[in-house]
Amino acid sequence: MIAPARSAALQGLRAVAAHRVDLPAALVQARARLTDDRDRSLALEIITGTLRWQRSLDHLIEHFAGRPVARLDTDVLLIVRLSLYQLLHLDRVPASAVVDDAVDLTRSARKQSATGFVNAVLRSTLRNRHRLPLPSKPDAAGDSEAAAAYLGITHSHPDWLVRRWLRRYGLHDAERWVRFNNDPAPLTIRANTLRVTRDQLAAALAQEEVETEPTRYAPDGLVVRSGNPLRIAPGNPAKAGLHAAQFLVQDEASQLVPLAVDARPGMRILDLCASPGGKTTALAAAAGSDGFVIACDVRPRRIRTLVETVAAAGARNVSVVHVPPAGTLPFAPVFDRILVDAPCSGLGTVRRDPDIRWRRSEDDLAAFGERQVELLRRAADVLKPGGRLVYATCSSEPEENESVIERFLADAPGFAVADLHVASPLLEPFIDRSGVLHTLPFAHGLEAFFAAALERR
């Protein structure tokens, strides 16, 4: 009998490969198919790990099969990928069970003629697991081609992306970046300071045998080291689980962005791209009962998620507004602070969503940049004189970050970049000479986020 986790993993990988769903949705669907927590954990690990190591796995498949992966049936390729991932990266899984299930999965997918091929590729790889034919780290730092092959194939990243990082940061830091992306991300949560302090939350979780430690930089964050604070349910993680009103699931780098806004009690704040609402609730806490936050998004489904998050957090000074995707915003220029957490490529979050590295291309960056500049211009129209507009992304690439700011300023003489040093001393480690924020995996151990503050004179 095929292990339920492997069957669910194959279904999830099929859905991602067919572009029916993205990785987060595939994980939710896989989890829903299983009732045992151990099966759920294994299925999610197989799906995520297979996508994370996809390029390396394909390189090995081509070597041991003697043919390009493009010539393989999709189901057969997915079965070999997920099985190789387990054989090479999950040492607690018996190799014999993995190979037997791979053959049975192939048979159940009605690919009987491919069972021998699947068995042969897996066993050939097993015999050579201690001398895998993957590119080695080049001895010469200036050998850019060898460096790109090493980072791209051995560490499973697209060539175009590692070449960019090599040019900007060099081999040493680029290697640290790809290694960071291939490490499983910890569960990170933020105390909902509308209800509880970080220390109070940590103590409450400890009572439930959930061990946490404070995040290194974010003042309200906790990293979960053992135990599970979430009782997983479909939908919004912010309203699901133990002590649901007291915390939200939020990456540490993301938690730093509201600090750049420098929201203060009594301020009028606009959060323009607010869903799922983690930053919104942080801004609501900073604005206090005398201030208010208008939280917006363009898609009805994301508006529903935003409403649920705000309600669960108890953010009574937040109003949720659906705004059109283009054109003038339905507000007067009255806001003291505006946050534009812009839709972007997500290339800074590859560790948490490894499929992004395969879904994005270099050509996507210009299109994202165009939309981001337009979004900034719309937001600028409703900022009051003397107000601050913070532009942020979870992208690592200049076309979505510095270039967007430069293009905006070229047509907005009334605006200037504000040095983020004055926003919060907690941001000091991330601010460059131009006063903007970069969190970098190789320097800070965080996902790659960007933030810049623009002030209206």
Side-chain angles (χ1 to χ4, degrees):
M1 178 180 175
I2 302 169
R6 295 188 181 102
S7 293
L10 177 58
Q11 293 178 58
L13 289 168
R14 277 174 176 159
V16 173
H19 306 291
R20 294 198 302 270
V21 298
D22 59 13
L23 176 58
L27 296 179
V28 170
Q29 292 176 7
R31 189 183 291 276
R33 295 187 185 103
L34 301 167
T35 57
D36 186 278
D37 282 345
R38 290 170 298 180
D39 287 336
R40 287 173 171 171
S41 178
L42 179 58
L44 269 57
E45 187 166 11
I46 293 172
I47 294 170
T48 305
T50 300
L51 289 168
R52 180 177 290 127
W53 290 101
Q54 178 175 299
R55 188 175 181 195
S56 295
L57 298 173
D58 285 358
H59 179 84
L60 295 174
I61 293 168
E62 291 187 340
H63 177 86
F64 290 111
R67 68 183 78 170
V69 293
R71 290 174 52 192
L72 298 179
D73 174 86
T74 299
D75 273 348
V76 172
L77 176 59
L78 293 175
I79 290 167
V80 179
R81 277 179 183 167
L82 70 88
S83 302
L84 271 186
Y85 169 71
Q86 294 170 82
L87 292 174
L88 298 176
H89 296 279
L90 301 182
D91 52 12
R92 69 179 182 273
V93 180
S96 58
V98 173
V99 175
D100 289 346
D101 270 7
V103 172
D104 289 343
L105 280 170
T106 308
R107 191 175 290 116
S108 69
R110 300 181 180 180
K111 313 292 181 182
Q112 177 68 38
S113 61
T115 55
F117 168 82
V118 169
N119 183 71
V121 172
L122 296 180
R123 293 194 182 279
S124 293
T125 309
L126 264 178
R127 287 194 296 270
N128 294 277
R129 65 184 306 171
H130 298 300
R131 53 181 187 278
L132 293 173
L134 295 168
S136 300
K137 185 175 181 177
D139 294 329
D143 191 343
S144 59
E145 290 303 312
Y150 169 68
L151 297 176
I153 297 173
T154 304
H155 292 283
S156 194
H157 279 66
D159 280 337
W160 70 269
L161 192 55
V162 298
R163 289 181 190 280
R164 282 171 159 258
W165 295 347
L166 277 168
R167 286 195 299 270
R168 296 208 303 270
Y169 304 111
L171 177 57
H172 177 72
D173 287 340
E175 182 182 15
R176 292 175 66 190
W177 195 327
V178 295
R179 287 184 181 275
F180 172 91
N181 285 345
N182 287 335
D183 285 336
L187 175 61
T188 306
I189 60 179
R190 179 179 64 79
N192 174 16
T193 54
L194 290 163
R195 297 183 182 272
V196 69
T197 67
R198 175 167 69 178
D199 289 345
Q200 289 170 338
L201 175 62
L205 291 171
Q207 291 295 316
E208 303 294 338
E209 300 183 343
V210 177
E211 180 187 355
T212 63
E213 65 181 39
T215 45
R216 183 178 178 186
Y217 302 106
D220 302 316
L222 292 170
V223 179
V224 178
R225 292 306 182 195
S226 66
N228 183 7
L230 301 174
R231 293 172 185 160
I232 301 298
N236 179 15
K239 67 166 186 173
L242 185 65
H243 305 289
Q246 297 181 27
F247 71 87
L248 300 94
V249 176
Q250 190 174 8
D251 181 77
E252 184 174 4
S254 175
Q255 294 181 37
L256 296 172
V257 172
L259 300 180
V261 177
D262 192 25
R264 300 176 189 178
M267 282 187 169
R268 293 166 288 186
I269 301 167
L270 176 65
D271 188 356
L272 190 54
C273 309
S275 188
K279 298 181 184 71
T280 302
T281 56
L283 294 173
S289 57
D290 292 333
F292 67 83
V293 178
I294 304 295
C296 306
D297 221 293
V298 299
R299 287 176 284 179
R301 178 176 61 83
R302 292 184 65 82
I303 285 288
R304 289 193 295 272
T305 300
L306 181 56
V307 168
E308 291 169 351
T309 302
V310 168
R316 297 177 181 175
N317 58 345
V318 175
S319 295
V320 176
V321 177
H322 180 263
V323 295
T328 303
L329 293 171
F331 309 114
V334 298
F335 293 100
D336 301 287
R337 299 285 189 268
I338 298 177
L339 172 60
V340 178
D341 186 20
C344 67
S345 66
L347 287 166
T349 62
V350 166
R351 178 172 69 157
R352 294 193 178 273
D353 188 350
D355 187 46
I356 285 176
R357 68 183 87 178
W358 314 124
R359 283 192 285 118
R360 299 299 185 213
S361 73
E362 195 163 19
D363 293 339
D364 293 336
L365 301 178
F368 275 112
E370 290 292 335
R371 293 192 291 269
Q372 290 154 352
V373 171
E374 181 56 31
L375 195 57
L376 261 183
R377 290 169 178 158
R378 295 175 71 200
D381 288 341
V382 297
L383 183 71
K384 66 184 286 188
R388 166 175 293 193
L389 191 167
V390 170
Y391 171 79
T393 75
C394 56
S395 174
S396 57
E397 299 312 296
E399 290 92 330
E400 300 183 84
N401 297 332
E402 293 91 346
S403 294
V404 169
I405 299 299
E406 291 170 4
R407 293 172 61 190
F408 170 78
L409 290 175
D411 296 325
F415 283 80
V417 174
D419 193 335
L420 282 177
H421 282 95
V422 301
S424 169
L426 296 173
L427 298 179
E428 179 68 31
F430 317 106
I431 300 172
D432 67 15
R433 293 179 180 178
S434 63
V436 303
L437 175 148
H438 287 277
T439 57
L440 294 168
F442 61 82
H444 310 115
L446 300 177
E447 272 68 24
F449 274 60
F450 171 87
L454 302 164
E455 288 189 350
R456 189 172 199 169
R457 299 189 182 97

